[in-house]
Amino acid sequence: MQKASGRYLLSGASGMLGTAIRREFTRRELEVLTLVRPGRQLQRGQSVRPSASDRPALRSVAVALSGEVPWNPTAAQAVPHPELLECTDAAIHLSGANLADHRWTAEYKNKIVSSRVESTRALASTLAGLRQRPSTMLVASTVGIYGNRGDEMLDDSSAPGSGFLADLCRQWEAAAQPAVDAGIRVVHLRFGVVIGNRSNPGSLARVYRIFGLGLGGRLGSGRQWMSWIGLSDLAAAVFFLLQKTEISGAVNVTAPNPVTNAQFTVALAREMHRPAFLPVPAAALRLAFGEMSDEALLASTRAYPSRLTAAGFQFEHPTIDLALSAGLRRL
């Protein structure tokens, strides 16, 4: 495959996925601009009071030094100086409130939706309005779009399901339409559960701690399917899709071997050399986590990465044992 080159734009750079992808940019010696929210200072330099005629040049210098572009997706103009985004080859949009950070109250559900849908629409509209637009926009999504589907095998073309997550993902993906209308290739990255490592565990941080104490166990019946992907494979898939210009639309970014929760429990306990004899009843999960338990912990989603594999992507960690072994040894 041709080596990636050019200039890239990244949002959500401080999160689990953004951190891994930013490191991959560095490893590949590629130039990346990161979108930063209000209140973040540029990494170098001190604040100055330039004259009006000098400000555009100084902004460009500041961006070149720091690699950061200020933005506020809730503002009328999300990027105050969109000219700073000119000549980027592709954008990767990962911003959004963490699904597992809080109980899903009505207020937090609104925050989840607005942080994803509004930010996607804001960035897509900004990119569409540039004189020199990027050719590609990769936008995060999740396999939660398929809902609770039991043992059904789901590929990238499967119909969306029902529930809060499915509705969220439909809105999230639709919000990128301004970029599509402007001729930008848009890819919706439908991520599975990400198998991170102990230094960057993401949503599995709590799970690793519990299993480390020997208190792990299956969730509910344990028969629910879990679509997952190793963090290094996720970063590699993102760069693979940047180069595969013939691919647009929805892509399942998941490993080719989904597992049930019971299988995941056994694999994680074995890798951590801990017992896992304390199953958590579904009723206890619902009491502790409310709606999130049914949508994220007990829902069964058996997704397969048909488009990735058909395009020739090679997984470094195609099985849960390999992914957990790789992740947990990186301390």
Side-chain angles (χ1 to χ4, degrees), residues 195-197 201 204-212 268 272 324 328:
I195 307 298
N197 51 56
L204 291 181
R206 190 178 304 166
V207 176
Y208 289 161
R209 286 197 298 270
I210 291 171
F211 273 71
L268 181 56
M272 298 190 76
L324 288 171
L328 292 175

Side-chain angles (χ1 to χ4, degrees), residues 9-42:
L9 180 67
L10 177 64
S11 76
S14 62
M16 177 199 193
L17 307 187
T19 298
I21 291 170
R22 196 172 70 251
R23 285 175 180 162
E24 191 67 13
F25 274 117
T26 300
R27 188 183 73 81
R28 297 177 185 232
E29 299 180 345
L30 296 172
E31 183 183 0
V32 59
L33 300 178
T34 57
L35 291 171
V36 295
R37 300 280 187 135
R40 286 280 307 276
Q41 289 186 335
L42 296 178

Side-chain angles (χ1 to χ4, degrees), residues 201-231:
S203 62
L204 291 181
R206 190 178 304 166
V207 176
Y208 289 161
R209 286 197 298 270
I210 291 171
F211 273 71
L213 294 171
L215 302 175
R218 60 174 169 77
L219 303 181
S221 71
R223 294 192 297 270
Q224 66 272 29
W225 286 93
M226 170 180 153
S227 300
W228 60 274
I229 187 167
L231 185 57

Side-chain angles (χ1 to χ4, degrees), residues 148-153 222-227 257-261 263 296-303:
N148 186 1
R149 303 286 275 272
D151 293 330
E152 182 183 353
M153 200 68 165
R223 294 192 297 270
Q224 66 272 29
W225 286 93
M226 170 180 153
S227 300
N257 296 291
V259 293
T260 64
N261 175 260
Q263 291 169 336
L297 304 177
L298 299 171
S300 182
T301 307
R302 190 182 185 186

Side-chain angles (χ1 to χ4, degrees), residues 85-134:
L85 308 184
E86 299 281 357
C87 301
T88 49
D89 295 271
I92 305 170
H93 181 48
L94 305 174
S95 293
N98 193 316
L99 291 171
D101 260 4
H102 297 275
R103 189 181 179 93
W104 288 1
T105 61
E107 181 181 3
Y108 195 67
K109 283 167 70 175
N110 286 335
K111 181 177 180 180
I112 290 171
V113 172
S114 63
S115 69
R116 285 165 169 75
V117 177
E118 291 180 14
S119 70
T120 299
R121 185 178 296 114
L123 183 56
S125 299
T126 298
L127 297 178
L130 297 177
R131 292 172 300 169
Q132 298 183 65
R133 305 181 187 103

